[in-house]
Amino acid sequence: MRRLRQLAERTPAGRERYVDLLRALAITMVVLGHWGITVITHDRAGRPSGHSALGDLPWVWPLTWVAQVMPVFFLVGGFANAASLTAHRARGGDPTGWLVDRSARLVRPTTALLVVLAAGATVAWLRHADPTQIRTAAWFATIPLWFLVAYLVVVPLTPPMYALHRRFGLAVPAVLVGLVALGDLGRLLGPEALATGNYLFGWLAVHQIGFAWYDTRDPDTPRRRRLPLTRRAGALLLAAGLVLLVLLTVVGPYPVVMLNVPGERLDNAAPPSLALLAAATAQLGLLLLLRGPAERWLRRCRPWQAVIAVNAVVLTVFLWHLTAAILLIGLLDALGVLPTPTVGTAAWWAWRVPWLLALAVMLSALVAVFGPIEARSRRSRTRDAPSTPWRTVLAAAGYGGVVAGLLVNSLTGKTAAEPLGLPAPALLAYLAGAGLLRLLRSGWGSRG
């Protein structure tokens, strides 16, 4: 508590505290959303199984216009990446050093998760557990990594995309939205492969808006690069986003739900669609409307300390929240007290409260163990000396290994027979990449 108070007191006056609050709220909403819509059943063999309740509760689909908060995370990520890149360059660093430093904050907590899952899977396999069941558990635990893959792809593009932003401003996300529209035409009319680029273009568009938010802090920034932060702009964006959402979903061909629901023609989030970008527009408008009151609230000591505390372990919370659910389900099932009420019934709704509380306790224990790993990665930083060309090549190779490993894991089905829980090639690629990045982080390959 004392350290939190010290950190709060040392916060620079010009820090955009609202951005930190949005990051914390976005991850909290993801966690509560995943937990809240979970339906627990038993399969034919009597083993616990789970699925999303969204398919059984279509009346809650409009709520996903707010609950789908991944655009908020990319918006905040754009702001934070622009700020850190600018500061790194001011200290004499280059994009390679920035990427090595930035990646550590994402890779270290992720490595802890993957190593623990692989170790647990190995123990289960040595005790003759079914490799398919091992993979199923690991698949559920690593669901959060699909988002991390998308974000890891966007991060190294920050230097060139920020350069484009400084030259062309808000015209860049406008072009990216046009590319998303072109991809959606492929999904609707064919060929469907045309939409593959939306995985990149959609999230990049939101990430660019984060750049515009960051640049707005400088009154000398040209208007084309600035995001209007007034309440009037917020009201216009909220209204425009909602109108577009209704036209695209209720009237048009897009699903109302912004999360994956089996059987729907399109998945608005994978890849991002025009409907999801319309939802992001409405969300941005709402965030701008709330910005003033929120910033005044964050000037108080206790709320700001709470935001600092959550952000210190925010990635750990995100990465481990489904593992907490798996552990709790396994524990309750082993004790013979696992409730499996039918989704939508009074019993199912009543179970939401103790279910969420029990999960919060389980996750708190995991964060207490693994949170310090993330906290240490935030406090340390690489030397800001210029990099050699060889170091840049190695950084690209290491980063590529990390992304490739996570991508292969996400693309591997949950019923594959994987004794390690994760595909062995994916795990090896990831660990090799993470190890190389850690070596580079020590300063190896820098000039001076």
Side-chain angles (χ1 to χ4, degrees), residues 231-242:
R231 289 180 59 85
R232 180 182 178 185
L236 290 174
L237 288 170
L238 176 60
L242 290 176

Side-chain angles (χ1 to χ4, degrees), residues 13-44:
R15 186 177 182 89
E16 188 84 16
R17 302 185 183 198
Y18 189 42
V19 171
D20 296 284
L21 173 64
L22 293 179
R23 183 190 298 109
L25 286 177
I27 294 302
T28 301
M29 288 181 65
V30 169
V31 171
L32 294 178
H34 281 165
W35 287 352
I37 64 173
T38 300
V39 180
I40 306 301
T41 59
H42 285 97
D43 61 19
R44 294 181 179 179

